[in-house]
Amino acid sequence: MPNAIDIHQVTKTFGEGTAMVTALEKVSLAIRDGEFVVFLGPSGCGKSTLLRMIAGLSAVTEGSISIDGRPVEGRPSVGMVFQSYTSFPWLSVAENIGFGLDLAKAGKARRDEKVAAMLDRVSLGKFAGSYPSQLSGGMQQRVAIARALAVDPRILLMDEPFGALDALTRVEMQTLLLDLCAEDRKTVVFVTHDIDEAMLLADRIVVFSPHPGRIAEIVDVDIPHPRSIEQTEREDFTRLRHRLRQLLFAMAKRAA
Ligand code: ADP
Ligand code: MG
């Protein structure tokens, strides 16, 4: 089986001449099918840029990215969830979740069935007819996740999806995401600058360094599933947290 995502010697620059910014330089990474990979690093090291290129929303300057062995072109079959504004405010919760299915021209019966199933999975059944502005931040992100998963993408790309949530809601959402991934194994690329979030979720943590964006280190998280937030007080988590903190401090110094 080919890798789910192959990133080969990817460089991305913005602008020209003296105003040119090298967001990423010669980044290579292979992500296996079913793997949960977290991109961790201070801001400005190219994490979002790389995610957008994997999603086909932005072109590489040099190098190549392929999904399931085929070059990324147009819009590959990926689901995306961003930090905020990921729901359409003029559509109800159910319409938001069904949006991708409508685009994919799923029939009404299949669409309604899938929307009902997704509403159930993210515990929003009672809010099918509500509008995003009537929901809390955590509920809005559950809508966004349900919408991304409704079309059954093999790959889920998440850019700081829980970054705007309060600490408690954030843990609830992390737990929900772990549950969803356990039910239905997806390849996930998840961007965060939160160490505990990275440790809880990841099979592998890719630590980025800035100016230009590069991969500084890849850390395997050999902590068995199912994981829960209580386990993050354990010794193996504590050791890993310490190591990641040192790495991030070093990166942040470089960014300053
Ligand atoms: P991160 O997500 O790790 O915070 P980004 O991928 O957003 O980093 O940005 C990486 C670098 O690329 C930054 O220096 C940023 O200013 C620059 N950059 C990102 N997007 C653009 C853009 N559309 N135009 C110009 N520069 C950009
Ligand atoms: Mg970003």
Side-chain angles (χ1 to χ4, degrees), residues 43-44 46-49 159-160 191:
S43 25
K47 305 180 300 293
S48 296
T49 301
D159 195 353
E160 306 199 28
V191 174

